[in-house]
Amino acid sequence: MTQPTYIRRDGERPLLLDLYSCAGGAGTGYDRAGFTVHGCDIAHRPNYPFPYHQGDALTYLAHLITTGEIERYAFVHASPPCQHGCALTVGTNASQGWGRSHVDLVGPTRELLDATGLPYIIEQPNGRAEIRKDLTLCGEMFGLGVIRHRNFELGGWSAPQPAHKPHRGRVRGYRHGQYYDGPYVAAYGNGGGKPSIPELQAAMGIDWTDVREELTEAIPPAYTEHIGAAFLATAALGVAA
């Protein structure tokens, strides 16, 4: 069933709330698509290129709902910390007894997002995180130097799934003591043939931070530029799922 979509705007651009915003990979993509972006992250993020609130994302979102300030926004993006369900945590790390237990924030985030009444995105990597995989995006779809599959649950709207393009080769680096070359860099961790900071910046399409931790956690802006453009195109047609 479809219904009219009203897009709230900040000036001439719709206002987007970027939760768990980290250094702004997602936010930059939405900015390029045509949104004004406000972030929220619990950590101090001096490299974040937009206005942001430092604090707990769930507490802040609950505050915005309670006060009615959420009504300023047209769209919400959320990237809850993925360590609970990502493939590395539940696979290699768990099998080796590495790491620690992690809190699953996807469910509580979704509950609050539904309470906003706004269209939204929840982003997670491959793994056991319990989200609908309404969209799955890959760096090869955008000509990037990373594979970096990411899944997106679309709340209150819909968008077509782009065709997945075959990978052109391997991710460069060491596997079980053997070095492999390839057209992609490993955008995670350190050592083991991992890319330099400039290589990682170029592969991800990110040039405003040189902090490895921020780069390895980021969503390539090309992903959310695609999502933001798809949402605005849907809104221009006056319908939502």
Side-chain angles (χ1 to χ4, degrees), residues 174-228:
Y174 284 92
R175 303 291 184 277
H176 307 292
Q178 183 174 349
Y179 180 81
Y180 297 92
D181 200 0
Y184 309 105
V185 301
Y188 55 87
N190 205 349
K194 298 298 191 300
S196 67
I197 293 296
E199 288 174 326
L200 192 50
Q201 289 173 315
M204 295 278 287
I206 293 175
D207 61 5
W208 62 90
T209 178
D210 59 1
V211 177
R212 182 176 289 274
E213 177 259 346
E214 292 181 342
L215 288 163
T216 57
E217 290 188 2
I219 301 170
Y223 291 17
T224 46
E225 183 176 3
H226 170 84
I227 291 170

Side-chain angles (χ1 to χ4, degrees), residues 19-20 78-83 104-106 109 121-125:
L19 296 174
Y20 311 98
S79 294
C82 63
Q83 289 88 347
D104 181 6
L105 296 179
V106 172
T109 299
I121 282 281
I122 300 176
E123 175 270 333
Q124 289 286 280

Side-chain angles (χ1 to χ4, degrees), residues 85 87 110 121-137 149-154 159-162:
R110 182 189 293 108
I121 282 281
I122 300 176
E123 175 270 333
Q124 289 286 280
N126 283 336
R128 296 179 187 169
E130 294 185 0
I131 68 167
R132 293 192 317 272
K133 297 178 181 179
D134 298 322
L135 282 179
T136 298
L137 300 180
H149 292 120
R150 286 295 182 270
N151 302 307
F152 301 87
E153 178 176 318
L154 281 58
Q161 169 65 53

Side-chain angles (χ1 to χ4, degrees), residues 60-147:
Y60 185 57
L61 182 55
H63 167 77
L64 293 177
I65 294 169
T66 299
T67 61
E69 294 177 65
I70 194 65
E71 296 179 9
R72 298 174 57 204
Y73 293 92
F75 191 84
V76 185
H77 174 99
S79 294
C82 63
Q83 289 88 347
H84 170 82
C86 77
L88 182 61
T89 299
V90 302
T92 302
N93 287 5
S95 70
Q96 298 297 322
W98 300 336
R100 61 189 187 278
S101 61
H102 298 277
V103 177
D104 181 6
L105 296 179
V106 172
T109 299
R110 182 189 293 108
E111 183 176 355
L112 282 177
L113 290 174
D114 284 336
T116 69
L118 296 175
Y120 64 80
I121 282 281
I122 300 176
E123 175 270 333
Q124 289 286 280
N126 283 336
R128 296 179 187 169
E130 294 185 0
I131 68 167
R132 293 192 317 272
K133 297 178 181 179
D134 298 322
L135 282 179
T136 298
L137 300 180
C138 168
E140 183 60 31
M141 295 176 179
F142 306 99
L144 299 178
V146 290
I147 293 177

